């Protein structure tokens, strides 16, 4: 387990509308693995919480002229008028040593509700911009993040010579353009391929693999930012 002054905190942001889905079971397995590794685990279930994903001008003070979302985020931070729901989520994000994004891969990307969480909570003027730069100079440098997801296709389909191409190609915009951009050290993703096509026995085995993969990630020592 990493060396922290106090018990580390993991924030899991989960985005699946079905509580009985394999994706939700996978999230619960990962959460328990992190607890067993000594983490305090905070879970945000976006569907259960009815998270509003749209970054809209209505959550900001009135604007004269064109609405520029990131500029208004920064102004809200400076004026102390950040939306209460966003502020709560942002505080929980900042408190976490490890961020886990849990989701099914839809259209080779994040579900809209999870992308909207990033749009609203990765606030300019707090995580980047203002007193912070980008990547290694961003606010979350020294913290870690990982993706925990399921796919509809098989692992063979997500190889470089497979029907869809390498899964890494689909993850680049998340790893580099979202997580590394705000400073995170990105860990290897934990993926279950095509759980809908697995038998009950295979799903049970897959959850054991998820647990071991998450425990391995939890035990890794963070690299210098």
């Amino acid at each position: 387990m990493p060396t922290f002054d106090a018990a580390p905190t993991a924030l899991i942001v989960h985005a699946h509308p079905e509580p009985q889905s394999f994706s939700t079971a996978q999230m619960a397995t990962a959460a328990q693995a992190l607890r067993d590794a000594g983490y305090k685990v905070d879970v945000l279930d976006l569907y259960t919480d009815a998270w509003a994903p749209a970054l809209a001008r209505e959550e900001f003070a009135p604007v004269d002229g064109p609405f520029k979302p990131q500029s208004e985020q920064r102004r809200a931070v400076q004026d102390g008028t950040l939306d209460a729901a966003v502020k709560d989520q942002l505080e929980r994000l900042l408190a976490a040593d490890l961020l886990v994004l849990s989701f099914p891969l839809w259209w080779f990307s994040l579900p809209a509700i999870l992308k909207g969480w990033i749009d609203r909570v990765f606030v300019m003027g707090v995580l980047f911009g203002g007193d912070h730069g980008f990547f290694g100079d961003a606010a979350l440098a020294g913290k870690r993040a990982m993706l925990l997801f399921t796919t509809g296709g098989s692992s063979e389909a997500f190889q470089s010579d497979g029907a869809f191409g390498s899964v890494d190609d689909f993850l680049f915009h998340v790893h580099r353009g979202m997580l590394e951009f705000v400073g995170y050290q990105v860990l290897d993703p934990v993926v279950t391929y095509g759980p809908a096509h697995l038998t009950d026995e295979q799903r049970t085995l897959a959850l054991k693999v998820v647990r071991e993969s998450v425990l391995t990630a939890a035990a890794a020592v963070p690299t210098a930012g």
Side-chain angles (χ1 to χ4, degrees):
M1 186 171 59
T3 300
F4 295 90
D5 293 334
T9 297
L11 175 65
I12 300 178
V13 183
H14 181 59
H16 198 291
E18 174 50 61
Q20 301 302 315
S21 67
F22 182 89
S23 178
T24 301
Q26 179 169 267
M27 179 276 293
T29 297
Q32 188 57 53
L34 288 167
R35 292 186 189 101
D36 292 344
Y39 280 74
K40 294 185 291 186
V41 178
D42 183 9
V43 177
L44 293 174
D45 189 324
L46 298 182
Y47 280 98
T48 297
D49 294 345
W51 173 257
L55 175 57
R57 67 187 306 152
E58 289 76 17
E59 70 181 73
F60 300 99
V63 179
D64 292 329
F67 172 62
K68 299 179 180 180
Q70 289 188 330
S71 295
E72 292 310 310
Q73 284 183 329
R74 186 169 177 177
R75 183 160 73 104
V77 170
Q78 293 170 341
D79 294 347
T81 59
L82 200 63
D83 179 85
V86 172
K87 184 178 179 182
D88 171 72
Q89 306 275 297
L90 180 59
E91 289 173 350
R92 292 162 76 173
L93 177 68
L94 291 171
D97 303 289
L98 172 67
L99 172 66
V100 180
L101 300 182
S102 168
F103 59 97
L105 193 71
W106 285 353
W107 293 106
F108 303 111
S109 189
L110 305 178
I113 196 170
L114 180 54
K115 175 54 168 59
W117 183 83
I118 291 172
D119 288 344
R120 296 185 67 199
V121 178
F122 279 29
V123 174
M124 184 176 187
V126 178
L127 301 190
F128 66 98
D131 294 333
H132 302 286
F134 316 115
F135 301 110
D137 294 323
L140 298 176
K143 299 192 176 190
R144 301 178 301 158
M146 66 183 295
L147 304 182
L148 173 71
F149 65 94
T150 59
T151 70
S154 67
S155 60
E156 291 78 14
F158 282 96
Q159 301 301 313
S160 58
D161 58 350
F164 303 142
S166 172
V167 70
D168 292 336
D169 293 343
F170 300 112
L171 302 182
F172 178 81
H173 74 291
V174 182
H175 280 166
R176 187 63 175 165
M178 300 179 197
L179 299 176
E180 290 181 353
F181 187 81
V182 295
Y184 281 116
Q185 174 195 347
V186 176
L187 306 179
D188 289 340
V190 177
V191 189
T192 300
Y193 292 96
H197 307 293
L198 302 179
T199 65
D200 289 346
E201 182 178 354
Q202 289 171 326
R203 291 190 193 99
T204 298
L205 179 59
L207 291 177
K208 291 180 179 179
V209 172
V210 167
R211 174 178 169 80
E212 292 306 314
S213 297
V214 171
L215 286 172
T216 297
V221 176
T223 59

